[in-house]
Amino acid sequence: SNGAIYIQLRMYIAIFMQVAYTIIFARLFDLCSALHNPFGPRDFLDLPHNAVGSQLRKLAKQMAMGELPSTMNKQISKYHDSGKSMVVGDEEDNLQTSLRRMNKRLAGLKK
């Protein structure tokens, strides 16, 4: 071939496409590995694990006692006033009533 391949544009385009393809997939891999754990040590990108965990624990304790945060109460009254149900498959019930029933069942099991 006496080096005839080096004067063809097709070879340079193929090399460029292969390098671009490799760089794109390397960047996607880096992005996935960076976003895999949202509770990492980076201050500018990651979520504070303790703050999220403590708020979830607080919500769980409130719901276990049959109390709901004020933001959920507003949503429930909005749905209750409109006649819609927040519980799937139960047209008359709302979330507070379901929590009360669950607490009664748990209290009956403890006896």
Side-chain angles (χ1 to χ4, degrees):
S1 74
N2 294 331
I5 194 165
Y6 294 110
I7 60 172
Q8 290 188 2
L9 183 62
R10 184 185 307 172
M11 184 197 76
Y12 292 106
I13 291 174
I15 290 173
F16 174 76
M17 293 301 292
Q18 185 63 41
V19 170
Y21 192 74
T22 304
I23 290 172
I24 288 170
F25 276 108
R27 290 292 171 191
L28 283 175
F29 177 77
D30 291 342
L31 180 66
C32 289
S33 63
L35 296 179
H36 177 70
N37 183 9
F39 301 111
R42 300 164 298 198
D43 292 335
F44 64 93
L45 182 64
D46 295 328
L47 299 172
H49 185 269
N50 293 337
V52 172
S54 66
Q55 292 300 315
L56 283 174
R57 184 171 174 80
K58 179 182 172 185
L59 175 65
K61 284 182 178 180
Q62 285 179 340
M63 292 185 81
M65 293 173 27
E67 301 171 4
L68 293 175
S70 60
T71 54
M72 290 180 76
N73 284 331
K74 289 177 188 174
Q75 291 295 321
I76 287 172
S77 11
K78 182 176 81 172
Y79 277 99
H80 186 66
D81 293 343
S82 68
K84 295 179 183 176
S85 173
M86 291 190 67
V87 179
V88 176
D90 190 0
E91 296 300 325
E92 300 171 3
D93 223 351
N94 63 24
L95 188 56
Q96 286 181 334
T97 308
S98 296
L99 285 172
R100 285 188 201 111
R101 286 182 186 166
M102 186 175 15
N103 284 333
K104 285 180 185 177
R105 289 179 191 155
L106 288 174
L109 290 174
K110 290 180 183 177
K111 291 180 180 180

